[in-house]
Amino acid sequence: MQTKKIHVKRGDIVFVTTGKDRNKTGKLLKVDAGKNGVIVEGVNVVKRHNRARGNQPGGIVEKEALVHLSNVMLFCAKCQKPVRAKISVLEDGKKVRLCKKCGESFDN
Ligand SMILES: [Zn+2]
């Protein structure tokens, strides 16, 4: 089985390139590898109408929906723009992602 290469992970600040929230940045909350999607804080928020159940009141709940992996890029705080990362392997074999432009590490 082939391991899917995912360029982002939880805790990253990502830039959204398309959709109603394009050009927004947000913190990546969750990666759903099976669906090739990510949940980004404050991005692609959808309203869910919940029906009252038992003693739980119904109402409108706002929740982030999946954004496709191909629609997010890593955001470099140093460059202040979305960038591509390059993978660098450290002496101990650990892989880190570095900003292609300024060399800043995304994996501190
Ligand atoms: Zn950079």
XYZ file of all heavy atoms in Angstrom:
832
model
N 0.834 -1.198 0.000
C 0.000 0.000 0.000
C 0.866 1.244 0.000
O 1.860 1.330 0.700
C -0.915 -0.012 1.232
C -2.130 0.857 1.054
S -3.245 0.707 2.467
C -2.836 2.180 3.366
N 0.463 2.170 -0.770
C 1.229 3.397 -0.894
C 0.838 4.387 0.198
O -0.335 4.575 0.472
C 0.953 4.001 -2.264
C 1.970 5.040 -2.662
C 1.557 5.728 -3.945
O 0.718 5.237 -4.666
N 2.143 6.874 -4.202
N 1.828 4.957 0.806
C 1.537 5.965 1.806
C 1.236 7.279 1.107
O 1.990 7.719 0.258
C 2.732 6.157 2.751
O 3.191 4.880 3.150
C 2.327 6.961 3.976
N 0.138 7.842 1.482
C -0.231 9.120 0.870
C 0.636 10.233 1.418
O 0.895 10.304 2.608
C -1.694 9.416 1.168
C -2.563 9.142 -0.037
C -3.993 9.499 0.268
C -4.915 8.482 -0.383
N -6.224 8.455 0.219
N 1.069 11.059 0.526
C 1.895 12.171 0.958
C 1.004 13.364 1.265
O 0.312 13.873 0.401
C 2.895 12.524 -0.151
C 4.220 12.986 0.418
C 5.210 13.235 -0.684
C 5.643 14.682 -0.635
N 6.190 15.159 -1.876
N 1.036 13.756 2.515
C 0.229 14.896 2.920
C 1.169 16.007 3.369
O 2.039 15.793 4.209
C -0.762 14.485 4.033
C -1.756 13.469 3.451
C -1.483 15.708 4.586
C -2.762 12.945 4.433
N 0.987 17.147 2.770
C 1.950 18.220 2.991
C 1.660 19.067 4.220
O 2.432 19.936 4.571
C 2.036 19.104 1.744
C 0.737 19.778 1.396
N -0.384 19.063 1.034
C 0.373 21.075 1.358
C -1.358 19.912 0.795
N -0.940 21.137 0.987
N 0.522 18.805 4.846
C 0.180 19.596 6.018
C -0.165 18.677 7.183
O -0.461 17.507 6.990
C -1.024 20.527 5.742
C -0.626 21.653 4.803
C -2.197 19.747 5.202
N -0.119 19.224 8.375
C -0.542 18.432 9.519
C -1.163 19.324 10.578
O -1.126 20.549 10.479
C 0.617 17.617 10.068
C 1.742 18.439 10.634
C 2.831 17.486 11.077
C 3.951 18.242 11.758
N 5.082 17.389 12.071
N -1.721 18.663 11.566
C -2.432 19.366 12.622
C -1.540 20.419 13.271
O -0.378 20.168 13.561
C -2.902 18.350 13.672
C -3.972 18.843 14.587
C -4.787 17.669 15.081
N -3.930 16.666 15.707
C -3.704 16.630 17.018
N -4.269 17.483 17.818
N -2.925 15.708 17.526
N -2.098 21.597 13.479
C -1.344 22.664 14.131
C -0.694 23.633 13.153
O -0.269 24.704 13.533
N -0.630 23.226 11.874
C -0.065 24.113 10.856
C -0.963 25.318 10.628
O -2.186 25.234 10.787
C 0.039 23.384 9.500
C 1.199 22.406 9.461
O 2.077 22.487 10.328
O 1.202 21.570 8.536
N -0.346 26.427 10.234
C -1.129 27.544 9.746
C -1.160 27.402 8.230
O -0.124 27.322 7.574
C -0.482 28.897 10.140
C -0.369 29.010 11.664
C -1.299 30.052 9.572
C -1.687 28.953 12.426
N -2.366 27.303 7.703
C -2.486 27.072 6.270
C -3.245 28.202 5.597
O -4.012 28.939 6.221
C -3.180 25.721 5.963
C -2.321 24.554 6.420
C -4.558 25.648 6.586
N -3.020 28.293 4.306
C -3.622 29.314 3.461
C -4.592 28.619 2.524
O -4.250 27.593 1.923
C -2.506 30.015 2.680
C -2.975 31.094 1.753
C -3.104 32.398 2.215
C -3.243 30.815 0.421
C -3.527 33.410 1.359
C -3.660 31.826 -0.433
C -3.801 33.123 0.035
N -5.788 29.161 2.418
C -6.808 28.533 1.589
C -6.797 29.194 0.212
O -6.849 30.423 0.102
C -8.204 28.671 2.238
C -9.271 28.003 1.390
C -8.183 28.086 3.636
N -6.692 28.380 -0.833
C -6.500 28.930 -2.169
C -7.783 29.043 -2.980
O -7.805 29.672 -4.028
C -5.502 28.071 -2.974
O -6.020 26.742 -3.057
C -4.143 28.053 -2.306
N -8.850 28.409 -2.520
C -10.061 28.437 -3.328
C -11.305 28.355 -2.448
O -11.204 28.167 -1.244
C -10.035 27.290 -4.379
O -11.129 27.455 -5.252
C -10.126 25.939 -3.705
N -12.466 28.557 -3.053
C -13.708 28.479 -2.300
C -14.085 29.828 -1.715
O -13.437 30.834 -1.958
N -15.147 29.789 -0.890
C -15.647 31.058 -0.363
C -14.689 31.691 0.637
O -14.776 32.877 0.918
C -17.036 30.867 0.242
C -17.024 29.953 1.458
C -18.382 29.880 2.142
C -18.372 28.815 3.220
N -19.130 29.135 4.395
N -13.786 30.894 1.174
C -12.825 31.426 2.140
C -11.420 31.519 1.570
O -10.435 31.454 2.294
C -12.817 30.546 3.393
C -14.084 30.712 4.209
O -14.502 31.860 4.412
O -14.655 29.702 4.625
N -11.324 31.674 0.252
C -9.985 31.751 -0.331
C -9.248 32.981 0.193
O -9.854 33.982 0.558
C -10.062 31.744 -1.856
C -10.702 32.963 -2.459
C -10.663 32.848 -3.972
N -11.572 33.807 -4.576
C -12.840 33.588 -4.800
N -13.370 32.414 -4.483
N -13.602 34.513 -5.320
N -7.960 32.841 0.244
C -7.057 33.880 0.758
C -7.127 34.041 2.279
O -6.548 34.959 2.826
C -7.302 35.244 0.100
C -7.083 35.181 -1.401
O -6.338 34.324 -1.882
N -7.731 36.046 -2.137
N -7.838 33.135 2.921
C -7.870 33.165 4.383
C -6.770 32.257 4.919
O -6.406 31.268 4.289
C -9.209 32.603 4.874
C -10.168 33.652 5.389
C -11.265 32.954 6.187
C -12.427 33.889 6.468
N -13.502 33.191 7.180
N -6.306 32.589 6.112
C -5.399 31.661 6.773
C -6.043 31.197 8.065
O -6.852 31.907 8.662
C -4.051 32.324 7.131
O -4.293 33.501 7.876
C -3.262 32.665 5.888
N -5.691 30.013 8.472
C -6.250 29.488 9.705
C -5.430 28.322 10.203
O -4.584 27.773 9.492
N -5.721 27.949 11.429
C -5.003 26.839 12.031
C -5.644 25.528 11.618
O -6.864 25.387 11.652
C -5.052 27.002 13.552
C -4.145 26.059 14.282
C -4.167 26.412 15.751
C -3.439 25.355 16.543
N -3.666 25.534 17.977
N -4.813 24.597 11.218
C -5.318 23.303 10.797
C -5.681 22.484 12.042
O -4.844 22.228 12.896
C -4.237 22.587 9.975
C -4.724 21.495 9.039
C -3.754 21.293 7.910
C -4.934 20.201 9.775
N -6.946 22.112 12.111
C -7.423 21.409 13.302
C -7.378 19.899 13.151
O -7.194 19.177 14.105
C -8.861 21.835 13.626
C -9.088 23.332 13.884
C -10.567 23.606 14.107
C -8.285 23.796 15.082
N -7.578 19.430 11.907
C -7.688 17.990 11.715
C -7.373 17.617 10.273
O -7.765 18.342 9.348
C -9.123 17.563 12.055
C -9.316 16.091 12.219
C -10.775 15.783 12.494
C -11.082 14.354 12.099
N -12.498 14.124 11.864
N -6.700 16.504 10.098
C -6.465 15.973 8.763
C -7.294 14.709 8.611
O -7.252 13.840 9.468
C -4.970 15.631 8.535
C -4.768 14.975 7.179
C -4.106 16.879 8.646
N -8.068 14.646 7.555
C -8.824 13.434 7.255
C -8.206 12.803 6.012
O -8.559 13.129 4.879
C -10.302 13.788 7.021
C -11.168 12.536 6.958
O -10.651 11.482 6.532
O -12.340 12.614 7.329
N -7.241 11.924 6.245
C -6.473 11.359 5.139
C -7.359 10.552 4.196
O -7.168 10.554 2.989
C -5.348 10.488 5.676
N -8.353 9.875 4.759
C -9.228 9.055 3.941
C -10.027 9.860 2.942
O -10.323 9.404 1.846
N -10.357 11.074 3.335
C -11.166 11.925 2.468
C -10.333 12.995 1.777
O -10.881 13.864 1.083
C -12.269 12.596 3.283
C -13.349 11.617 3.703
C -14.432 12.315 4.500
C -15.520 11.323 4.910
N -16.308 11.826 6.023
N -9.029 12.938 1.994
C -8.140 13.946 1.413
C -8.559 15.361 1.796
O -8.481 16.277 0.978
C -8.084 13.823 -0.105
C -7.240 12.650 -0.529
O -6.188 12.391 0.056
N -7.707 11.922 -1.522
N -9.025 15.494 3.014
C -9.498 16.802 3.428
C -8.914 17.230 4.758
O -8.347 16.427 5.509
N -9.049 18.508 5.019
C -8.593 19.040 6.295
C -9.671 19.955 6.868
O -10.494 20.501 6.137
C -7.277 19.837 6.154
C -6.125 18.924 5.789
C -7.404 20.954 5.131
N -9.639 20.097 8.180
C -10.511 21.040 8.855
C -9.644 22.211 9.289
O -8.631 22.022 9.966
C -11.171 20.392 10.096
C -12.031 19.194 9.711
C -11.982 21.426 10.880
C -13.345 19.524 9.063
N -10.020 23.402 8.854
C -9.246 24.590 9.198
C -10.124 25.530 10.013
O -11.270 25.797 9.641
C -8.750 25.320 7.917
C -7.852 26.496 8.296
C -8.008 24.360 7.005
N -9.566 25.996 11.103
C -10.307 26.853 12.021
C -10.866 28.080 11.309
O -10.129 28.839 10.674
C -9.369 27.303 13.147
C -10.075 27.880 14.337
C -9.111 28.092 15.496
O -8.056 28.705 15.293
O -9.402 27.617 16.586
N -12.163 28.263 11.393
C -12.810 29.442 10.823
C -12.986 29.426 9.314
O -13.443 30.398 8.734
N -12.645 28.306 8.674
C -12.728 28.224 7.223
C -13.780 27.204 6.802
O -13.866 26.127 7.388
C -11.348 27.850 6.617
C -11.461 27.532 5.131
C -10.361 28.987 6.841
N -14.552 27.572 5.799
C -15.596 26.693 5.277
C -16.610 26.332 6.363
O -17.006 25.191 6.498
C -14.977 25.436 4.655
C -15.888 24.797 3.630
O -16.817 25.441 3.133
N -15.640 23.548 3.305
N -16.998 27.335 7.122
C -17.950 27.114 8.208
C -19.341 26.928 7.624
O -19.787 27.698 6.787
C -17.941 28.306 9.190
C -19.037 28.162 10.233
C -16.580 28.418 9.868
N -19.979 25.865 8.042
C -21.344 25.613 7.590
C -22.273 25.611 8.792
O -21.873 25.279 9.902
C -21.467 24.270 6.836
C -20.754 24.331 5.506
C -20.923 23.125 7.675
N -23.498 25.988 8.519
C -24.489 25.998 9.592
C -25.275 24.715 9.561
O -25.761 24.291 8.526
C -25.430 27.192 9.428
C -24.762 28.476 9.841
C -25.711 29.643 9.763
C -24.951 30.901 10.180
N -25.567 32.110 9.684
N -25.366 24.094 10.703
C -26.168 22.881 10.817
C -27.378 23.186 11.675
O -27.252 23.728 12.760
C -25.342 21.784 11.491
C -24.194 21.318 10.650
C -24.316 19.851 10.332
N -23.287 19.506 9.344
C -22.131 18.957 9.659
N -21.874 18.652 10.908
N -21.244 18.691 8.733
N -28.517 22.800 11.164
C -29.735 22.981 11.953
C -29.989 21.708 12.719
O -30.244 20.662 12.138
C -30.915 23.303 11.025
C -30.732 24.593 10.308
N -31.371 25.739 10.667
C -29.938 24.921 9.266
C -30.989 26.719 9.869
N -30.116 26.246 9.001
N -29.899 21.805 14.005
C -30.120 20.634 14.845
C -31.543 20.630 15.381
O -32.052 21.649 15.824
C -29.140 20.619 16.010
C -27.755 20.166 15.581
O -27.554 19.777 14.428
N -26.815 20.215 16.492
N -32.135 19.471 15.333
C -33.472 19.330 15.874
C -33.366 19.107 17.380
O -32.421 18.474 17.845
C -34.132 18.118 15.217
C -35.625 18.156 15.269
C -36.195 17.055 14.424
N -35.988 17.306 12.973
C -36.650 16.687 12.033
N -37.540 15.779 12.355
N -36.425 16.932 10.767
N -34.316 19.618 18.100
C -34.312 19.406 19.542
C -34.470 17.922 19.834
O -35.257 17.228 19.204
C -35.443 20.195 20.184
N -33.687 17.427 20.739
C -33.736 16.007 21.060
C -33.714 15.863 22.566
O -32.781 16.313 23.216
C -32.531 15.304 20.445
C -32.881 13.952 19.878
C -31.664 13.340 19.217
N -31.008 14.268 18.279
C -29.711 14.192 17.945
N -28.944 13.278 18.465
N -29.184 15.031 17.100
N -34.699 15.218 23.128
C -34.753 15.060 24.574
C -34.755 16.421 25.241
O -35.548 17.285 24.894
N -33.830 16.613 26.158
C -33.778 17.914 26.797
C -32.707 18.816 26.170
O -32.345 19.839 26.701
C -33.566 17.785 28.313
C -32.367 16.914 28.642
O -31.620 16.539 27.741
N -32.177 16.606 29.908
N -32.194 18.357 25.010
C -31.237 19.206 24.300
C -31.984 20.113 23.344
O -32.735 19.646 22.487
C -30.254 18.335 23.518
C -29.038 17.940 24.338
C -27.870 17.611 23.457
O -28.040 16.966 22.427
N -26.695 18.050 23.838
N -31.787 21.401 23.495
C -32.504 22.319 22.600
C -31.962 22.251 21.172
O -30.777 22.001 20.956
C -32.230 23.689 23.228
C -30.955 23.512 23.987
C -30.896 22.075 24.412
N -32.848 22.448 20.224
C -32.412 22.500 18.840
C -31.813 23.860 18.565
O -31.850 24.751 19.400
N -31.258 24.009 17.397
C -30.691 25.311 17.082
C -29.707 25.195 15.942
O -29.591 24.152 15.297
N -29.042 26.284 15.710
C -28.083 26.315 14.609
C -26.676 26.210 15.173
O -26.285 26.957 16.054
C -28.256 27.607 13.793
C -29.663 27.641 13.190
C -27.212 27.677 12.692
C -30.036 28.982 12.617
N -25.973 25.235 14.683
C -24.605 25.030 15.134
C -23.677 25.324 13.969
O -23.900 24.857 12.860
C -24.398 23.571 15.610
C -22.950 23.341 16.005
C -25.316 23.265 16.776
N -22.673 26.114 14.234
C -21.704 26.391 13.173
C -20.518 25.473 13.331
O -19.982 25.296 14.405
C -21.266 27.854 13.240
C -22.417 28.789 12.945
C -21.931 30.187 12.578
O -20.778 30.508 12.892
O -22.716 30.923 11.975
N -20.137 24.881 12.201
C -19.073 23.911 12.250
C -18.244 23.993 10.984
O -18.787 24.224 9.904
C -19.707 22.517 12.354
C -18.831 21.531 13.054
C -19.527 20.196 13.211
C -18.508 19.180 13.663
N -18.539 17.951 12.917
N -16.947 23.778 11.125
C -16.093 23.791 9.945
C -16.276 22.502 9.154
O -16.309 21.421 9.722
C -14.616 23.920 10.344
C -14.219 25.301 10.831
C -14.248 25.425 12.353
O -14.771 24.512 13.012
O -13.760 26.437 12.864
N -16.382 22.648 7.828
C -16.481 21.483 6.955
C -15.113 21.241 6.318
O -14.250 22.117 6.298
C -17.533 21.715 5.885
N -14.967 20.044 5.760
C -13.694 19.672 5.148
C -13.322 20.586 3.976
O -14.175 20.973 3.185
C -13.760 18.239 4.622
C -13.587 17.073 5.598
C -13.726 15.768 4.828
C -12.259 17.128 6.323
N -12.058 20.899 3.897
C -11.514 21.600 2.737
C -10.590 20.599 2.059
O -9.836 19.890 2.731
C -10.681 22.832 3.178
C -10.087 23.553 1.974
C -11.526 23.783 4.009
N -10.660 20.508 0.737
C -9.807 19.526 0.074
C -8.339 19.875 0.248
O -7.942 21.041 0.202
C -10.157 19.431 -1.411
C -9.624 18.168 -2.040
N -8.406 18.130 -2.670
C -10.124 16.916 -2.082
C -8.181 16.878 -3.097
N -9.220 16.134 -2.750
N -7.554 18.818 0.442
C -6.111 18.988 0.668
C -5.427 19.847 -0.392
O -4.510 20.603 -0.094
C -5.451 17.601 0.635
C -5.206 16.891 1.950
C -4.573 15.539 1.663
C -4.302 17.710 2.844
N -5.879 19.704 -1.624
C -5.220 20.429 -2.710
C -5.547 21.919 -2.667
O -4.971 22.704 -3.404
C -5.620 19.838 -4.059
O -7.005 20.001 -4.256
N -6.473 22.296 -1.794
C -6.866 23.700 -1.733
C -6.230 24.456 -0.566
O -6.603 25.590 -0.299
C -8.387 23.819 -1.631
C -9.069 23.296 -2.873
O -8.463 23.236 -3.936
N -10.308 22.900 -2.744
N -5.310 23.807 0.112
C -4.602 24.513 1.179
C -3.096 24.451 0.933
O -2.576 23.492 0.382
C -4.922 23.959 2.591
C -6.385 24.146 2.943
C -4.505 22.506 2.725
N -2.455 25.520 1.337
C -0.998 25.574 1.249
C -0.467 25.986 2.611
O -1.144 26.661 3.378
C -0.571 26.635 0.228
C -0.713 26.209 -1.217
S -0.194 27.552 -2.314
C 1.597 27.366 -2.246
N 0.759 25.596 2.889
C 1.386 26.046 4.123
C 1.580 27.552 4.073
O 1.901 28.113 3.028
C 2.751 25.377 4.284
C 2.746 23.983 4.892
C 4.118 23.359 4.742
C 2.359 24.040 6.357
N 1.378 28.193 5.205
C 1.565 29.638 5.272
C 2.833 29.909 6.077
O 2.973 29.460 7.213
C 0.356 30.290 5.928
C 0.405 31.796 5.880
C -0.005 32.473 4.740
C 0.866 32.522 6.967
C 0.041 33.863 4.689
C 0.917 33.915 6.918
C 0.504 34.588 5.772
N 3.753 30.636 5.464
C 5.009 30.939 6.155
C 4.871 32.271 6.890
O 4.603 33.302 6.280
C 6.160 31.006 5.157
S 7.709 31.453 5.958
N 5.044 32.218 8.212
C 4.895 33.425 9.023
C 5.985 34.434 8.704
O 5.794 35.640 8.810
C 4.945 33.060 10.502
N 7.119 33.945 8.283
C 8.245 34.827 7.990
C 8.047 35.541 6.651
O 8.274 36.735 6.530
C 9.530 34.003 7.970
C 10.726 34.757 8.509
C 11.844 33.786 8.783
C 13.153 34.511 9.012
N 14.243 33.553 9.207
N 7.626 34.786 5.650
C 7.397 35.378 4.322
C 6.053 36.111 4.275
O 5.821 36.918 3.393
C 7.381 34.304 3.236
S 8.908 33.390 3.071
N 5.160 35.779 5.205
C 3.806 36.313 5.212
C 3.060 35.986 3.920
O 2.325 36.812 3.374
C 3.818 37.833 5.461
C 4.049 38.204 6.929
C 2.910 37.744 7.837
O 1.756 38.075 7.613
N 3.237 36.952 8.852
N 3.310 34.796 3.420
C 2.564 34.336 2.262
C 2.553 32.813 2.176
O 3.360 32.160 2.823
C 3.098 34.963 0.983
C 4.563 34.736 0.713
C 4.904 35.336 -0.638
C 6.085 36.278 -0.542
N 6.510 36.848 -1.778
N 1.643 32.291 1.357
C 1.613 30.836 1.198
C 2.847 30.384 0.434
O 3.255 31.035 -0.525
C 0.345 30.591 0.392
C 0.033 31.881 -0.273
C 0.579 32.961 0.605
N 3.416 29.292 0.874
C 4.655 28.827 0.256
C 4.624 27.316 0.070
O 3.790 26.620 0.639
C 5.881 29.175 1.142
C 6.080 30.676 1.220
C 5.742 28.566 2.526
N 5.537 26.846 -0.733
C 5.747 25.416 -0.836
C 6.847 25.036 0.137
O 7.748 25.825 0.400
C 6.175 25.045 -2.256
C 5.030 25.109 -3.225
C 5.464 24.691 -4.604
N 4.426 25.011 -5.563
C 3.333 24.286 -5.739
N 3.150 23.183 -5.029
N 2.419 24.641 -6.599
N 6.741 23.815 0.619
C 7.747 23.358 1.568
C 8.666 22.365 0.888
O 8.278 21.666 -0.043
C 7.071 22.706 2.761
N 9.888 22.329 1.341
C 10.784 21.258 0.911
C 11.086 20.415 2.123
O 11.092 20.897 3.260
C 12.048 21.833 0.287
C 12.854 22.707 1.235
C 14.134 23.179 0.574
C 14.901 24.105 1.539
N 16.062 24.706 0.939
N 11.304 19.148 1.870
C 11.569 18.228 2.968
C 13.073 18.126 3.176
O 13.826 17.949 2.233
C 11.007 16.816 2.658
C 9.536 16.894 2.265
C 11.229 15.880 3.845
C 8.587 17.236 3.376
N 13.460 18.255 4.405
C 14.861 18.111 4.733
C 14.980 17.017 5.784
O 14.185 16.929 6.703
C 15.391 19.441 5.266
O 16.732 19.290 5.644
N 15.976 16.155 5.620
C 16.151 15.070 6.579
C 17.302 15.431 7.513
O 18.412 15.715 7.080
C 16.438 13.732 5.860
C 16.581 12.605 6.876
C 15.326 13.416 4.870
N 16.985 15.429 8.790
C 17.997 15.769 9.788
C 18.934 14.588 10.030
O 18.683 13.482 9.578
C 17.319 16.165 11.108
C 16.365 17.344 11.057
C 15.763 17.590 12.430
C 17.063 18.594 10.551
N 20.001 14.856 10.760
C 20.996 13.807 11.031
C 20.400 12.589 11.728
O 20.813 11.463 11.504
C 22.127 14.372 11.892
C 23.138 15.154 11.069
C 24.195 15.800 11.944
O 24.410 15.320 13.061
O 24.773 16.807 11.493
N 19.394 12.850 12.574
C 18.787 11.726 13.290
C 17.680 11.050 12.487
O 16.942 10.213 12.990
C 18.256 12.185 14.656
C 17.185 13.270 14.529
O 16.814 13.607 13.384
O 16.725 13.768 15.555
N 17.547 11.428 11.232
C 16.571 10.782 10.370
C 15.207 11.430 10.399
O 14.299 11.047 9.669
N 15.046 12.408 11.234
C 13.767 13.100 11.339
C 13.573 14.008 10.126
O 14.495 14.681 9.678
C 13.772 13.926 12.625
C 12.402 14.196 13.171
C 12.519 14.984 14.467
C 11.336 15.925 14.575
N 11.574 17.016 15.506
N 12.354 13.982 9.621
C 12.070 14.829 8.467
C 11.413 16.127 8.912
O 10.482 16.112 9.715
C 11.137 14.100 7.499
C 11.852 13.071 6.670
C 10.902 12.386 5.722
C 11.616 11.220 5.039
N 10.671 10.277 4.473
N 11.896 17.208 8.388
C 11.271 18.487 8.682
C 10.920 19.180 7.373
O 11.535 18.940 6.342
C 12.193 19.412 9.524
C 12.389 18.855 10.913
C 13.518 19.642 8.831
N 9.906 20.013 7.457
C 9.502 20.775 6.278
C 10.023 22.196 6.411
O 9.838 22.845 7.430
C 7.983 20.759 6.153
C 7.417 19.360 5.943
C 5.946 19.323 6.252
N 5.715 19.801 7.604
C 4.521 20.241 8.040
N 3.496 20.223 7.249
N 4.378 20.658 9.271
N 10.681 22.636 5.377
C 11.247 23.974 5.378
C 10.605 24.815 4.285
O 10.253 24.306 3.223
C 12.763 23.922 5.119
C 13.591 23.035 6.049
C 15.036 23.016 5.574
C 13.519 23.513 7.485
N 10.468 26.103 4.568
C 9.958 27.014 3.561
C 10.954 27.072 2.412
O 12.152 27.245 2.615
C 9.777 28.402 4.183
S 9.393 29.678 2.978
N 10.447 26.916 1.188
C 11.328 26.916 0.028
C 11.964 28.281 -0.199
O 13.012 28.410 -0.791
C 10.540 26.503 -1.221
C 10.955 25.144 -1.727
C 10.265 24.794 -3.015
C 10.633 23.373 -3.410
N 9.808 22.870 -4.500
N 11.263 29.297 0.253
C 11.764 30.647 0.019
C 12.787 31.104 1.056
O 13.858 31.556 0.718
C 10.586 31.635 -0.001
C 9.739 31.483 -1.253
C 8.908 32.745 -1.469
C 8.256 32.749 -2.843
N 7.066 31.874 -2.886
N 12.412 30.984 2.346
C 13.294 31.550 3.376
C 13.969 30.503 4.240
O 14.833 30.826 5.035
C 12.504 32.536 4.251
S 11.326 31.740 5.346
N 13.571 29.236 4.101
C 14.227 28.184 4.856
C 13.695 27.990 6.270
O 14.190 27.163 7.022
N 12.667 28.751 6.614
C 12.062 28.626 7.939
C 11.453 27.229 8.100
O 10.818 26.717 7.190
C 10.980 29.715 8.081
C 10.298 29.743 9.420
C 11.086 30.505 10.482
O 12.274 30.782 10.254
O 10.503 30.800 11.528
N 11.631 26.643 9.288
C 11.097 25.306 9.526
C 9.641 25.374 9.976
O 9.247 26.243 10.746
C 11.932 24.598 10.583
O 11.305 23.384 10.935
N 8.845 24.438 9.488
C 7.447 24.335 9.918
C 7.301 23.303 11.025
O 6.222 23.068 11.514
C 6.554 23.932 8.745
C 6.472 24.978 7.669
C 7.152 24.809 6.470
C 5.744 26.134 7.861
C 7.091 25.776 5.493
C 5.680 27.107 6.892
C 6.357 26.924 5.702
N 8.377 22.635 11.353
C 8.291 21.534 12.316
C 9.185 21.761 13.515
O 10.101 21.012 13.766
C 8.663 20.223 11.619
C 7.646 19.857 10.576
O 6.512 19.557 10.950
O 7.987 19.884 9.384
N 8.931 22.808 14.238
C 9.733 23.065 15.435
C 9.242 22.220 16.602
O 8.082 22.058 16.778
C 9.667 24.547 15.797
C 10.482 25.358 14.815
O 11.563 24.930 14.399
N 9.971 26.496 14.427
Zn 9.277 31.590 4.287
